[in-house]
Amino acid sequence: KNQVEQSPQSLIILEGKNCTLQCNYTVSPFSNLRWYKQDTGRGPVSLTIMTFSENTKSNGRYTATLDADTKQSSLHITASQLSDSASYICVVSVRDTGRRALTFGSGTRLQVQP
Amino acid sequence: DAGITQSPRHKVTETGTPVTLRCHQTENHRYMYWYRQDPGHGLRLIHYSYGVKDTDKGEVSDGYSVSRSKTEDFLLTLESATSSQTSVYFCAISETGEWETQYFGPGTRLLVL
């Protein structure tokens, strides 16, 4: 069964600090992996997409890494801001174009405190 | 929210009543999706559409039906609402396929009493 596990479930950090969110998956065959940010009361918004051949990708203060061999990804947030408070969702897609091409993690809820 | 609107944004209804949620897009994207989001679960696909009048089931389709008569509109109907269908419902769109980046609407919060 395709699964995406995220850790931690929730995290509280102080403004200005760095943090790393983890995503482990068992999806196969792997196509790509996305990180979404979901602000409270809003729909998810894509932060970054990584394909099989990519190890690192940055989007401003967000840096995603991918290790396709160990099936792990991380999202590193540098110099956190209050606006980073949100849920971060890891989404993995399979290579086949079957009915369920996406598997969603349940998310990590990040709270940045002043 | 990428030219996607959902209506209503909030709804309270009683068990056994029919409920229809609407998703409207202005992006002319071919694919549209309905998801539900519950605490402790990832987003779960209910139904999706790959064109006008072309729809298919997702992993949690029981108790739900959909219709798409125009490119821009995708309706989700709960034929007879149950308390287990209390959830936040998100519509999403993508241009060419389920594996592409999906753009999500603002969500509809549904409470079934």
Side-chain angles (χ1 to χ4, degrees), chain B residues 60-84:
Chain B
V60 291
S61 60
D62 288 347
Y64 302 95
S65 63
V66 291
S67 65
R68 190 170 179 198
S69 59
K70 297 185 291 185
T71 298
E72 58 267 34
D73 290 324
F74 193 31
L75 304 181
L76 176 71
T77 298
L78 290 66
E79 303 290 347
S80 177
T82 67
S83 58
S84 64

Side-chain angles (χ1 to χ4, degrees), chain A residues 43-62:
Chain A
V45 175
S46 180
L47 284 175
T48 183
I49 176 174
M50 302 189 72
T51 60
F52 185 87
S53 59
E54 296 175 304
N55 299 117
T56 303
K57 182 170 281 188
S58 292
N59 177 3
R61 294 179 297 100
Y62 300 101

Side-chain angles (χ1 to χ4, degrees), chain B residues 3 9 22 39 43-45 48 50 52 65 75 77 81 87 94 98 100 108 110 113:
Chain B
R9 294 294 313 281
R22 179 181 183 242
L43 284 153
R44 292 181 290 176
L45 182 65
Y48 70 102
Y50 47 96
V52 174
S65 63
L75 304 181
T77 298
S87 186
S94 66
E98 198 172 354
E100 298 290 327
T108 293
L110 176 67
L113 299 174

Side-chain angles (χ1 to χ4, degrees), chain B residues 32-49:
Chain B
M32 298 185 75
Y33 314 85
W34 277 108
Y35 292 93
R36 61 178 291 173
Q37 186 176 42
D38 304 291
H41 290 87
L43 284 153
R44 292 181 290 176
L45 182 65
I46 304 171
H47 282 280
Y48 70 102
S49 169

